Amino acid sequence: MRPGRVLVDEEAIATRLAEMGAEITADYEGKDLLLVAVLKGAFMMMADLARHILLPVDIDFMAVSSYGAATETSGVVRILKDLDQEIAERHVLIVEDIIDSGLTLDYLRRNLEVRQPASLEIATLLLKAGIQRVPIEVKYVGFEIPPDFVVGYGLDLVGKMRNLPYVAVMEED
Ligand code: IMP
Ligand code: MG
């Protein structure tokens, strides 16, 4: 397997993140906003999106694991690293790289809701359209994509290819 056709190029990502940042800036004006990125995949999205949010935001990270070394979702979610801070009464925006089955975010959302944030929303760069196994409300979506396995811009195949500056579809050699 190798990265093949570019699905979302660098320029499209940059343009869309600027739009999403502007939208988020308007929506959270005057509010105490905490951005929570889901590691490892969302590290690049977090860095780029945060620069387009013109508010004094706080950032934090969670690490969860829903995949083993396979490219199929297991439905099993483990918290590998929890937040460093309390989120009660705060406005929390989860920053994700991709939503596939939706099981990871469904678990995460319920886990964070128990902590009683003032609000809890989701921003994802990519959404595999129509294949979610659980209903999931996503406030900010970068791009809807087909259900192919993709890599780059944070997304990996067995740990590699996260550093590609674009999103590409995997192809057979
Ligand atoms: P979900 O729980 O099925 O929605 O999967 C969410 C997680 O699976 C994402 O945060 C990614 O880490 C990983 N994932 C889902 N689809 C892809 C893909 O196409 N490429 C790389 N990782 C993916
Ligand atoms: Mg991920």
Side-chain angles (χ1 to χ4, degrees):
M1 296 278 276
R2 57 180 175 77
R5 185 169 54 87
V6 174
L7 196 63
V8 190
D9 67 22
E10 274 187 81
E11 199 187 328
I13 294 172
T15 303
R16 187 70 189 110
L17 289 186
E19 290 169 0
M20 290 168 80
E23 211 180 313
I24 292 164
T25 301
D27 291 351
Y28 289 92
E29 180 90 65
K31 290 179 176 159
D32 174 26
L33 175 60
L34 172 68
L35 301 177
V36 173
V38 186
L39 294 173
K40 299 172 186 171
F43 81 101
M44 214 174 266
M45 159 84 164
M46 174 68 131
D48 287 341
L49 179 66
R51 277 180 269 197
H52 289 293
I53 301 175
L54 309 181
L55 300 170
V57 301
D58 218 332
I59 68 167
D60 206 342
F61 297 90
M62 277 184 92
V64 300
S65 157
S66 64
Y67 275 42
T71 59
E72 283 291 302
T73 195
S74 61
V76 178
V77 178
R78 249 184 340 138
I79 291 190
L80 305 177
K81 182 215 170 292
D82 206 338
L83 295 174
D84 291 338
Q85 48 200 306
E86 306 281 316
I87 59 168
E89 312 293 316
R90 308 190 67 190
H91 293 275
V92 176
L93 180 60
I94 300 175
V95 177
E96 244 302 26
D97 47 1
I98 191 164
I99 301 176
D100 186 326
S101 69
L103 293 170
T104 306
L105 272 183
D106 182 57
Y107 174 88
L108 215 56
R109 181 191 266 281
R110 280 187 281 134
N111 183 288
L112 295 181
E113 251 159 20
V114 173
R115 310 180 199 188
Q116 300 187 302
S119 69
L120 181 60
E121 301 290 352
I122 297 167
T124 187
L125 180 69
L126 306 171
L127 174 72
K128 290 186 183 175
I131 61 159
Q132 282 66 57
R133 288 207 241 153
V134 283
I136 186 135
E137 229 176 273
V138 189
K139 190 161 186 196
Y140 309 96
V141 177
F143 301 91
E144 289 200 2
I145 62 168
D148 307 310
F149 193 80
V150 293
V151 294
Y153 201 77
L155 293 157
D156 72 307
L157 175 64
V158 207
K160 305 288 196 235
M161 290 184 271
R162 296 190 193 276
N163 58 321
L164 295 176
Y166 48 80
V167 176
V169 179
M170 290 302 297
E171 277 176 3
E172 299 294 334
D173 289 305

